[in-house]
Amino acid sequence: MAKKNYDELVKKILTNVGGRDNISFCTHCVTRLRFNVKIKDMVNEEEIQSLSGVLGVQWSGEQLQIIIGPEVKNVYSAVCKEAGFEEEGIDENLDKPKEKFKITKVFEAIANCVIPMMPAMVASGMTRLICTLLTMWGLMDAEGSTYLILNTLADAVFYFAPIFVGANAAKQFEIPQTMGMLMGAVLVHPNLVTALSSGNAVSIFGLPVYAISYTSTIFPVILCVLVMAQIWKLLGRFIPSVVSTLLQPLLTMLIMLPIGLCALAPLGAFIGTYLSSAIIWLYENTGFVGIAILSAVYPFLVMTGMHMGLVTYAFTAFMSVGYDPICYAANIMANLTQGAAALAVSLKTKDKSLKSNGIAGGVTALIGGIMEPALYGVNMKLKKPLYCAMIGAACGGAIAGLGQVKAYIMGQTSLLGIANYVGGSTANVVWMVVAMVVALVVTFVMTYLMYKEEK
């Protein structure tokens, strides 16, 4: 979509969401514009869906999501310029609708505490890959200082995860990010780590502190910051503004320390441990069938937001056992097959708009690891390509399961994701390459043969 069309597109979008005055919040993610609106009935979904440049429209709770694709950032900027919003989003507290509780909102909240860490996790993961390859090829001494420093970079984001997650959780729960970081820093402070690992009893205000390590964890600090946010806001109502700068942070932390160290952090550690154990149990008892099914249905998890929960599991798995045997494989298979199906359609169709969407969606999925443009812009609309992609993903997932592949770093979920599987045996990479090739070939051939242009 050319930039010259943004202004025309956003004017139509704003008109059909009920105008600027009907919007209480506006933001965007990787592929979607997200609007919270005051009056839902003022939104004309059919008209928005018909706009050139819009790949799909859906509601998530009370939030309107308009699927744009890779150009969403530019469209969002144009929306903000046209409507006079700040680009980070607007929040005027204008009758923001109260949403009913949904389990997907829990997954989304947890994922929002983790996903912003992805650039740091990718940097760490790729550094670990470089260290592995250089030592394997004899180009770096595993006992040398260069390896020590690079390996420190590879481990840092995981070891200090509570600090990173604490900052994101504070933002999610709307308190100062430094308070979340402080809670995370307490959990991984060397003095506390040493005291808890010494075998001696540790207590605060006479209350026993459970002896457990919180390095490389995410749930303990999320639970702590969730409760901290309520305490922070409650204190803010009663503390006079003249002394709030001094007393609100101090009292919040003094209250949180016993609650967090004696109850919430241990509970969060148990949740993380048992979540990983449950997924591993499922994997060990379903084998390749489980991965095949997950690969096939992954697009539907994306549609509902349920894939957010898998992001949390994958992160926990990498920190607890050092690899992920399930989620990355399924995600990669789903992305590749959605892209392959879209490209097959683009090759066969004579419709210029569909051809353009197919190429853009296919490249974005195969190289960028983002399936939504292909999924919403091509495959869901035509149905048969979606079914072919699901079959191809199941085939690839089954082979990955049979080979018991394991992702050792958190990296790309596209063709470049093969790098995630370096670090184990050579067979680990070979099995994953075979799985990816089979998924692509089965999907592309089936889609090309089954898709027929309507005359």
Side-chain angles (χ1 to χ4, degrees), residues 71-150:
E71 298 294 331
V72 67
K73 185 176 180 180
N74 294 328
V75 176
Y76 171 70
S77 295
V79 167
C80 292
K81 181 179 179 181
E82 177 70 22
F85 301 157
E86 292 292 332
E87 283 209 26
E88 64 269 23
I90 60 166
D91 188 1
E92 305 172 2
N93 296 316
L94 297 172
D95 304 320
K96 203 171 184 179
K98 293 184 178 180
E99 299 183 9
K100 296 180 180 179
F101 173 80
K102 290 186 177 182
I103 190 63
T104 55
K105 303 303 290 183
V106 176
F107 290 141
E108 185 175 343
I110 295 173
N112 287 341
C113 297
V114 178
I115 288 176
M117 294 173 60
M118 283 305 296
M121 288 189 289
V122 169
S124 294
M126 294 308 294
T127 302
R128 186 178 299 281
L129 173 63
I130 291 170
C131 287
T132 299
L133 293 176
L134 291 181
T135 53
M136 184 187 304
W137 296 335
L139 300 176
M140 182 185 293
D141 181 6
E143 302 297 325
S145 58
T146 299
Y147 180 89
L148 171 66
I149 294 172
L150 289 177

Side-chain angles (χ1 to χ4, degrees), residues 25 27 34-36 58-65 99:
F25 185 80
T27 186
R34 296 169 178 259
F35 294 96
N36 284 3
Q58 68 180 43
W59 291 90
S60 177
E62 296 298 315
Q63 185 180 75
L64 175 68
Q65 300 183 355
E99 299 183 9

Side-chain angles (χ1 to χ4, degrees), residues 155-415:
D155 287 338
V157 69
F158 296 102
Y159 186 91
F160 294 106
I163 300 177
F164 292 93
V165 175
N168 297 329
K171 183 177 181 180
Q172 173 71 22
F173 303 129
E174 301 177 339
I175 62 172
Q177 286 185 275
T178 51
M179 294 301 294
M181 296 172 69
L182 179 58
M183 190 69 236
V186 168
L187 295 179
V188 296
H189 194 285
N191 290 349
L192 181 64
V193 173
T194 301
L196 294 178
S197 62
S198 66
N200 299 321
V202 179
S203 64
I204 178 172
F205 305 143
L207 300 172
V209 176
Y210 192 81
I212 189 171
S213 174
Y214 298 110
T215 59
S216 301
T217 62
I218 59 173
F219 287 108
V221 74
I222 290 176
L223 286 180
C224 287
V225 176
L226 172 62
V227 174
M228 176 193 284
Q230 314 314 311
I231 295 172
W232 174 273
K233 294 171 184 176
L234 181 63
L235 290 174
R237 296 178 185 174
F238 297 100
I239 297 176
S241 58
V242 68
V243 292
S244 63
T245 303
L246 172 66
L247 294 183
Q248 193 174 8
L250 173 63
L251 293 178
T252 298
M253 288 307 300
L254 289 178
I255 294 170
M256 272 307 305
L257 283 176
I259 296 175
L261 293 176
C262 300
L264 296 177
L267 175 60
F270 290 137
I271 291 174
T273 299
Y274 286 114
L275 173 63
S276 295
S277 298
I279 298 291
I280 294 297
W281 177 89
L282 184 65
Y283 168 69
E284 291 176 345
N285 285 272
T286 61
F288 73 93
V289 176
I291 298 181
I293 294 174
L294 181 59
S295 300
V297 303
Y298 203 93
F300 298 100
L301 299 183
V302 171
M303 293 178 206
T304 60
M306 293 292 288
H307 68 300
M308 297 290 192
L310 297 180
V311 172
T312 306
Y313 155 71
F315 187 81
T316 304
F318 279 111
M319 292 191 295
S320 59
V321 297
Y323 60 83
D324 163 43
I326 306 172
C327 297
Y328 260 79
N331 194 350
I332 289 173
M333 295 307 154
N335 285 339
L336 296 187
T337 54
Q338 291 299 321
L343 287 178
V345 170
S346 72
L347 187 63
K348 198 169 183 181
T349 185
K350 295 180 180 178
D351 185 300
K352 292 184 178 179
S353 177
L354 182 58
K355 185 182 290 289
S356 176
N357 287 342
I359 293 173
V363 172
T364 302
L366 293 175
I367 306 300
I370 300 171
M371 74 168 69
E372 281 93 330
L375 176 63
Y376 293 111
V378 179
N379 302 334
M380 273 190 65
K381 292 179 178 179
L382 302 177
K383 299 296 189 299
K384 284 184 180 179
L386 175 61
Y387 304 147
C388 294
M390 291 174 64
I391 294 171
C395 292
I399 292 173
L402 287 171
Q404 298 183 340
V405 300
K406 298 179 178 67
Y408 289 96
I409 64 173
M410 297 189 77
Q412 290 288 324
T413 53
S414 62
L415 286 171

